[in-house]
């Protein structure tokens, strides 16, 4: 059962299991009338990484990201691979400064890996991240939270990538 909940490459939760876990976090936050932080991010220029250096290097980038994300996981913070080069995170009752700092720490750790990526800033692996904090009792459903974080991600892409946008 555990194997079926993990992405085979990154060993993070797969999309199906992460969505199940997210529903549990959502319900808990509704019952506690507390907030929920949600992150979505992807690798900048991932297609160019695969096209230039090959899919094995793309896989290496994905596994390096997963190693970093696992450093942050605890009972209040979970990450999953959404698909391709997209990752999701959920945080119970976060403070804005803490979740933003976590995003910054993830980005800094990735830069320190010095994984080469064509077209990216400094030629190194970067991600663009959208973050939001919501109270589930103030939204109709999880999709609204997802849409808000996804909008932040696309704003970051439009503004030049390699950054965190908070909505």
């Amino acid at each position: 059962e555990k194997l079926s909940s993990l992405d085979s490459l990154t060993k993070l939760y797969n999309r199906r299991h992460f969505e199940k876990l997210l529903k549990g976090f959502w319900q808990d936050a509704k019952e506690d009338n507390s907030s929920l932080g949600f992150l979505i991010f992807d690798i900048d220029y991932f297609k160019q990484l695969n096209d230039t250096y090959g899919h094995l290097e793309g896989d290496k980038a994905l596994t390096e990201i997963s190693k970093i994300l696992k450093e942050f996981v605890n009972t209040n913070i979970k990450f999953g691979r959404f698909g391709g080069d997209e990752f999701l995170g959920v945080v119970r009752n976060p403070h804005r400064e803490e979740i933003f700092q976590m995003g910054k720490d993830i980005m800094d750790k990735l830069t320190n890996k010095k994984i080469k990526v064509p077209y990216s800033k400094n030629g190194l692996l970067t991600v663009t991240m959208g973050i939001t904090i919501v109270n589930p009792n103030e939204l109709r459903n999880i999709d609204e939270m997802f849409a808000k974080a996804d909008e932040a991600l696309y704003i970051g892409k439009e503004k030049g990538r390699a950054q965190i946008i908070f909505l």
Side-chain angles (χ1 to χ4, degrees), residues 39-107:
L39 307 89
I40 183 169
F41 60 96
D42 65 17
I43 299 173
D44 298 324
Y45 303 106
F46 188 66
K47 181 181 181 336
Q48 290 81 356
L49 167 65
N50 279 330
D51 290 350
T52 303
Y53 300 116
H55 290 278
L56 290 178
E57 287 301 309
D59 287 353
K60 178 182 171 187
L62 295 170
T63 58
E64 289 300 321
I65 287 173
S66 70
K67 289 177 191 175
I68 290 168
L69 295 178
K70 289 173 188 174
E71 294 176 28
F72 295 90
V73 170
N74 61 41
T75 56
N76 294 316
I77 302 170
K78 302 293 182 194
F79 286 98
R81 183 174 177 201
F82 192 61
D85 65 321
E86 286 190 318
F87 296 86
L88 304 173
V90 62
V91 182
R92 291 183 205 264
N93 209 23
H95 295 285
R96 182 181 170 102
E97 299 79 25
E98 291 171 334
I99 197 168
F100 187 82
Q101 185 60 52
M102 183 175 68
K104 187 176 177 331
D105 290 346
I106 291 167
M107 292 176 80

Side-chain angles (χ1 to χ4, degrees), residues 10 13 22 24-25 27 36 39 50-51 55 62 89 95 119 121 128 139 145 159 165:
T10 63
Y13 290 124
L22 181 60
F25 272 53
Q27 191 58 42
L36 204 57
L39 307 89
N50 279 330
D51 290 350
H55 290 278
L62 295 170
H95 295 285
Y119 306 106
K121 294 182 180 180
T128 302
L139 299 177
M145 177 181 69
K159 289 187 170 190
I165 301 294

